[in-house]
């Protein structure tokens, strides 16, 4: 049986919502979408999933680019952040703002690995997993 892209992404979102609900992940990311229309097509289903698991989502119109993931995975994409605790969402938004402030001040290179590691921790990755992602990523912002 062939599984269509919509169903696959929705199944992944179901899993991520369950993990957020169980406290396994503080935040989780939906699959990146090429357009807002594509992403917004999932929102009615995300409403249902979030109701089922008692979690929430934040519509992200500007992907958070860090050295944690290859640039091509998220650059120019949109997605959704699943979360349960408002503090986790605020931490995510503050980390994004911190990156923008560092770029504006011209000192992002001094803190880029720290920001990527903190993002990984917010995604509830292990230190070892974060380091593996950082080591494997040769596609970073310049």
């Amino acid at each position: 049986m062939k599984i269509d892209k919509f169903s696959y992404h929705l199944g992944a979102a179901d899993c991520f919502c369950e993990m957020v609900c169980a406290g396994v992940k503080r935040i989780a990311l939906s699959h990146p979408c090429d357009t807002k229309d594509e992403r917004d097509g999932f929102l009615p289903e995300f409403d249902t999933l979030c109701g089922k698991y008692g979690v929430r989502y934040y519509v992200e119109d500007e992907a958070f680019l860090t050295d944690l993931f290859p640039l091509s995975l998220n650059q120019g994409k949109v997605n959704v952040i699943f979360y349960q605790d408002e503090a986790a969402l605020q931490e995510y938004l503050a980390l994004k703002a911190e990156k923008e402030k560092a770029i504006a001040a011209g000192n992002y290179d001094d803190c880029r690995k720290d920001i990527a590691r903190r993002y990984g921790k917010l995604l509830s990755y292990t230190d070892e997993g974060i380091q593996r992602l950082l080591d494997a990523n040769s596609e970073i912002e310049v």
Side-chain angles (χ1 to χ4, degrees), residues 34-49:
D34 292 325
T35 67
K36 290 179 184 179
D37 285 343
E38 178 188 1
R39 187 241 2 250
D40 292 352
F42 287 98
L43 297 183
E45 299 298 332
F46 289 172
D47 286 333
T48 301
L49 288 176

Side-chain angles (χ1 to χ4, degrees), residues 14-28 49-50 52-56 82-85 124:
D14 185 282
C15 178
F16 285 135
C17 287
E18 182 179 9
M19 287 193 286
V20 170
C21 174
V24 175
K25 294 184 71 58
R26 292 189 63 212
I27 67 168
L49 288 176
C50 287
K52 174 181 174 183
Y53 291 106
V55 301
R56 295 179 268 182
F82 297 106
Y83 66 98
Q84 190 167 40
D85 180 13
S124 302

Side-chain angles (χ1 to χ4, degrees), residues 12-137:
D14 185 282
C15 178
F16 285 135
C17 287
E18 182 179 9
M19 287 193 286
V20 170
C21 174
V24 175
K25 294 184 71 58
R26 292 189 63 212
I27 67 168
L29 310 171
S30 70
H31 279 280
C33 294
D34 292 325
T35 67
K36 290 179 184 179
D37 285 343
E38 178 188 1
R39 187 241 2 250
D40 292 352
F42 287 98
L43 297 183
E45 299 298 332
F46 289 172
D47 286 333
T48 301
L49 288 176
C50 287
K52 174 181 174 183
Y53 291 106
V55 301
R56 295 179 268 182
Y57 66 84
Y58 173 80
V59 176
E60 180 58 273
D61 288 335
E62 188 175 326
F64 187 28
L65 305 176
T66 72
D67 293 350
L68 197 60
F69 301 113
L71 194 58
S72 62
L73 183 65
N74 292 303
Q75 189 173 40
K77 311 282 181 156
V78 295
N79 65 352
V80 164
I81 311 297
F82 297 106
Y83 66 98
Q84 190 167 40
D85 180 13
E86 185 68 28
L89 176 63
Q90 293 309 313
E91 187 176 332
Y92 167 79
L93 294 172
L95 195 56
K96 276 187 76 175
E98 182 179 332
K99 177 190 171 189
E100 293 306 313
K101 185 177 175 183
I103 289 171
N107 63 355
Y108 180 55
D109 283 342
D110 297 337
C111 61
R112 68 186 302 146
K113 293 295 185 205
D114 178 62
I115 288 173
R117 283 188 178 89
R118 288 168 44 213
Y119 186 35
K121 291 304 260 185
L122 189 55
L123 288 162
S124 302
Y125 296 170
T126 64
D127 291 337
E128 296 80 12
I130 291 167
Q131 193 59 51
R132 273 193 307 274
L133 289 170
L134 290 170
D135 291 344
N137 185 10

